[in-house]
Amino acid sequence: MVKVDLSGAEQFFTAAGPDYALAELAHKTLMNGSGLGADFIGWLELPRRIKETELQEILDTAKLIRSRSKALVVIGIGGSYLGARGAIELLRPIPGKDDPKVFFIGNGLSADALCDTLDMLGDVDFDVNVISKSGTTLEPAASFRIFRGLLEKKYGSKADEHIFATTDARKGVLKSVADRQGWKTFVVPDDVGGRFSVLSAVGLLPMAVAGIDVEKVIDCAIEEFKSLSVPSKENPAWQYAAARQSLYGKGYSVEILGCYEPSFRFMAEWWKQLYGESEGKDHKGIFPASVEFTADLHSMGQFIQEGPRNLMESIVRFTESRRAYIFPEDGENADGLNYLAGRDMADICRVAADAVKQAHISGGVPNIVIEVKKRDEAGFASLVCFFEMACAISGYMSGVNPFNQPGVEAYKKNMFRMLGKPGAM
C-alpha cells in the first residue's frame, strides 16, 4: 500500500492543518455516489468487474498476439494510451527477448512521428489494438486508417484477424465497423472515463502483450481499493488530497510530480492527464507538472529552488530497488569518488533524494513524499488506485465535477472547421 509522508509540507500548512473533515465528506460523497459525475465512478469496482468478465479474454488474446507477432501497434489518445504506456515503461522498460515491441501511435498528428513509427515497425508481423469510445476522434481515427491499410496489404483477406478494437459495448462508429468486419472487441466501460480506464481492457491488453502480469495487477488493485475505501485520517488518499488542497488554499497553485526512476516518465504523463482533466475547470485547479530526478535538477533545479514560490512538490519513491549495483573502488581515485566505494547505487540515490528534499523545503517548496515498496505489478496497482482515489476526493474538495471534461471540445470545433470537415461550424 502507498504511504504518504507530509513532514516536508507541515510547516507550510495553516495552523489548523489539512482539512480532514472536508476530505471525509468528499470521500463519503464519492463512495455513496451522491456527487457530481456519479455516473462515472465505475472505476471503483473496475478491478473486481474485469476479473469476473473480460480478464480471461484479455489474457487469451495477449497470448495469441505474443505467439505470432513481433509488434503490437496501440492506437489511441489521452486515457486510451497513457496508462498502458506508463505501465509498460515503468515495469518493462527493456522488453524481454520474447516480448513483442509495443508502439503507441494516434496520439498526435505529426507526419514525422508517424513515418518514424513506420520505419521502426519495418516488415515484421504485427497486430493492431485500436482504442476509442466513438471511433471519430481525429488523431486515432487517422492513424487507424493508415495502419488498417498496412494490414490489408500485408495479410490480405486475413487482415481483420489482426485487428482488436477496444470501444463502446453497443454504439459508435468503431463498434459498428468492428461488428461488420468481425474484429475481436473489448469494452470501454460506460461508467468509466478514459483517464480512469487503465485497469480495463484499455490498459490491460497492451500491458499483457508486453509481458506484464495483469492478473497480479488486478488482484492487487482489488485489495488496494478495499483499503482506500476505509474512512480514516490514516487513509493515504485523504492525506494527499487534503494536503494539496490545503497548500492550494495558501497560493501553491503548481504541483510538480517527481521520481528518481527514469522509467516513471510516462506514469507522470498519465498523472498529469488524470489531475489536469479532473480538476482544471470552473477557473480552479492545481496545475500538474512533472520532473525526472536527478536529471532535471541540472535543468529545472534552479527554478524549483529559487523561482516563484507557487510550487509544491510531490515525490514518488520506491523504497526497494529491483537490482543492486555496488559502486567500485579505483586505485588512483583521480575522480575523487572513492568515498562512495562499496555503497549500493540505490543507497546513493536515496541520500541524494533526502538532500534535494531538504534543499527544496529550505527554499520554500512544500514537499510531499509518496512511498511505494517496489517497482513491480503490485507497486503499479497501488499507485493507480491511490492516485485515482485521491484525485476524486481532491476534486470534490475543491467543488468541481472530477469526472467531466467540457473544455476539451473547444479546440476540436475550431480544428474541424478549419480542416473543412462537412457540417463543422
Side-chain angles (χ1 to χ4, degrees):
M1 188 174 183
V2 170
K3 293 182 180 179
V4 173
D5 177 5
L6 299 180
S7 62
E10 287 173 346
Q11 71 188 68
F12 300 93
F13 296 143
T14 61
D19 190 347
Y20 288 116
L22 187 57
E24 180 179 21
L25 177 62
H27 189 227
K28 183 178 180 181
T29 298
L30 173 66
M31 299 306 292
N32 65 22
S34 62
L36 295 170
D39 290 345
F40 289 91
I41 60 172
W43 50 273
L44 288 165
E45 291 293 322
L46 188 54
R48 180 189 56 77
R49 277 182 3 200
I50 202 77
K51 185 172 184 177
E52 296 171 355
T53 53
E54 286 189 310
L55 184 57
Q56 190 56 54
E57 288 182 78
I58 290 169
L59 293 170
D60 291 344
T61 300
K63 183 178 180 180
L64 171 64
I65 293 170
R66 287 174 61 85
S67 71
R68 72 184 184 189
S69 293
K70 295 294 185 181
L72 173 68
V73 177
V74 178
I75 300 175
I77 195 168
S80 294
Y81 93 101
L82 281 170
R85 185 163 186 179
I88 292 169
E89 296 205 5
L90 182 72
L91 303 180
R92 306 286 286 192
I94 302 175
K97 63 181 180 66
D98 296 323
D99 293 336
K101 174 70 174 176
V102 180
F103 295 95
F104 292 92
I105 197 70
N107 46 68
L109 294 169
S110 165
D112 286 349
L114 171 65
C115 292
D116 288 345
T117 301
L118 293 172
D119 289 344
M120 288 187 289
L121 182 63
D123 194 37
V124 302
D125 286 312
F126 72 100
D127 290 283
V128 168
N129 178 204
V130 55
I131 307 170
S132 176
K133 185 75 169 172
S134 65
T136 59
T137 303
L138 178 60
E139 295 92 337
S143 288
F144 182 47
R145 175 182 285 199
I146 293 166
F147 280 89
R148 183 182 176 190
L150 289 177
L151 286 174
E152 290 170 349
K153 289 180 181 178
K154 190 175 185 67
Y155 297 110
S157 62
K158 293 186 178 296
D160 289 332
E161 297 175 14
H162 291 264
I163 298 175
F164 303 90
T166 307
T167 187
D168 192 276
R170 293 171 295 278
K171 62 183 185 300
V173 171
L174 182 56
K175 173 60 176 172
S176 64
V177 175
D179 287 346
R180 184 176 71 243
Q181 297 297 126
W183 302 336
K184 175 70 177 174
T185 60
F186 295 93
V187 175
V188 179
D190 287 338
D191 57 355
V192 178
R195 58 189 178 273
F196 288 86
S197 68
V198 63
L199 297 180
S200 73
V202 170
L204 295 177
L205 179 57
M207 289 162 59
V209 171
I212 294 170
D213 186 348
V214 297
E215 288 183 283
K216 185 174 182 180
V217 168
I218 289 301
D219 285 342
C220 291
I222 290 170
E223 293 305 312
E224 194 70 20
F225 271 135
K226 190 182 299 183
S227 297
L228 292 169
S229 69
V230 176
S232 168
K233 290 182 181 180
E234 303 305 312
N235 187 324
W238 283 31
Q239 294 169 347
Y240 180 52
R244 60 198 302 277
Q245 285 298 326
S246 176
L247 293 168
Y248 179 51
K250 292 198 67 180
Y252 296 96
S253 58
V254 177
E255 180 178 10
I256 302 171
L257 185 74
C259 185
Y260 288 78
E261 290 292 343
S263 62
F264 191 78
R265 178 187 171 197
F266 266 89
M267 282 297 294
E269 295 298 319
W270 169 81
W271 172 86
K272 285 194 288 189
Q273 187 205 4
L274 180 67
Y275 279 77
E277 218 170 56
S278 296
E279 292 190 315
K281 55 200 68 167
D282 301 338
H283 300 146
K284 301 176 182 177
I286 301 166
F287 185 84
S290 62
V291 289
E292 179 187 309
F293 287 158
T294 61
D296 281 342
L297 294 170
H298 300 263
S299 59
M300 295 297 294
Q302 173 63 39
F303 190 98
I304 296 170
Q305 189 70 40
E306 296 184 342
R309 297 300 76 185
N310 63 340
L311 306 179
M312 66 177 91
E313 189 173 59
S314 297
I315 300 297
V316 174
R317 284 200 189 189
F318 296 95
T319 58
E320 293 183 13
S321 181
R322 296 208 303 196
R323 304 173 73 179
Y325 194 95
I326 304 302
F327 193 79
E329 186 168 359
D330 181 79
E332 294 185 5
N333 194 29
D335 53 15
L337 294 178
N338 272 356
Y339 71 96
L340 297 175
R343 299 184 73 164
D344 193 324
M345 286 293 295
D347 179 53
I348 296 171
C349 187
R350 279 190 288 271
V351 173
D354 290 338
V356 173
K357 176 182 176 181
Q358 188 178 98
H360 288 180
I361 292 170
S362 67
V365 181
N367 198 285
I368 299 169
V369 175
I370 299 162
E371 287 191 350
V372 190
K373 185 176 180 181
K374 201 169 184 179
R375 191 165 59 91
D376 59 7
E377 281 85 352
F380 168 77
S382 294
L383 282 170
V384 167
C385 296
F386 163 76
F387 278 131
E388 289 182 346
M389 181 72 80
C391 181
I393 294 171
S394 183
Y396 279 142
M397 289 180 73
S398 69
V400 303
N401 178 351
F403 306 114
N404 68 352
Q405 54 281 338
V408 301
E409 297 302 317
Y411 90 90
K412 294 181 183 180
K413 292 178 182 178
N414 292 341
M415 178 177 66
F416 288 138
R417 183 186 72 252
M418 294 167 73
L419 286 171
K421 180 179 180 180
M425 301 294 291

